[in-house]
Amino acid sequence: MTVIVQPKDPRGYFMLPQAPEDAGYYVYGTPGDGAAQFTAPKLLNLIFVVEREWQSFDERKFGIGNISISNGQEFSHASHTSGLEVDVRPMRKDGKRLPVTYMEPAYDRDGTAKLIQLFRAHAVGSILIFFNDTKIAGVRPRFKHDNHFHFQFNQVVK
């Protein structure tokens, strides 16, 4: 039996598993191969809870994008340094693992709203969700958020 240990960064954050068998999500992002998917335990747990519940009623997988680079280094996503933020693709009606904007016919508003609701329902603490489809309750519009929603735990600023 081969035991695979997920890469861990100096903060003690693990890389999101990249291709877990039967997971309810797939991964994407830049840089690839999980380099931008180091996550705080709080967010990792949330992703796992959401994907398990999602699979109980929908066979499509949802796309998990950028979280943070190892040790919180800055990269092209300035807000993705704490491991408490994640980009998630909206759901597509056809289930393809491709990007889609909320303005395209392939976009599934109802599915995306259900996914956002799962993140909201299982998150512990204060959160923000940025997405430009403001017909979905509880999201805030933000520049360049047509093809993904950005979920984040609010952080205490000291």
Side-chain angles (χ1 to χ4, degrees), residues 99-149:
V100 66
T101 70
Y102 76 94
M103 299 165 281
E104 294 177 52
Y107 169 62
D108 180 358
R109 177 175 287 127
D110 291 338
T112 302
K114 287 178 186 173
L115 183 58
I116 288 172
Q117 178 54 34
L118 286 178
F119 273 89
R120 185 177 299 289
H122 292 292
V124 176
S126 179
I127 63 165
L128 290 171
I129 300 175
F130 298 108
F131 185 44
N132 289 342
D133 184 355
T134 55
K135 292 183 180 177
I136 294 179
V139 301
R140 297 180 184 188
R142 190 169 216 174
F143 182 65
K144 293 187 177 181
H145 285 73
D146 293 342
N147 67 352
H148 70 280
F149 67 86

Side-chain angles (χ1 to χ4, degrees), residues 12-131:
Y13 290 6
F14 286 98
M15 179 191 292
L16 181 71
Q18 296 298 288
E21 190 174 333
D22 297 326
Y25 67 88
Y26 66 93
V27 295
Y28 73 96
T30 305
D33 298 324
Q37 292 185 319
F38 283 85
T39 175
K42 181 178 182 176
L43 180 58
L44 183 62
N45 185 60
L46 177 64
I47 291 168
F48 289 160
V49 168
V50 168
E51 71 95 12
R52 289 287 103 183
E53 188 166 337
W54 178 259
Q55 282 192 308
S56 73
F57 63 84
D58 200 308
E59 62 186 29
R60 296 174 294 176
K61 294 181 184 279
F62 59 91
I64 298 289
N66 290 337
I67 300 172
S68 78
I69 297 277
S70 177
N71 207 27
Q73 299 170 40
E74 289 192 22
F75 69 119
S76 62
H77 283 66
S79 65
H80 288 259
T81 57
S82 72
L84 294 170
E85 311 91 3
V86 61
D87 289 340
V88 182
R89 282 186 174 155
M91 296 307 300
R92 294 177 58 98
K93 292 176 184 174
D94 58 16
K96 292 180 180 176
R97 298 176 190 181
L98 298 170
V100 66
T101 70
Y102 76 94
M103 299 165 281
E104 294 177 52
Y107 169 62
D108 180 358
R109 177 175 287 127
D110 291 338
T112 302
K114 287 178 186 173
L115 183 58
I116 288 172
Q117 178 54 34
L118 286 178
F119 273 89
R120 185 177 299 289
H122 292 292
V124 176
S126 179
I127 63 165
L128 290 171
I129 300 175
F130 298 108
F131 185 44

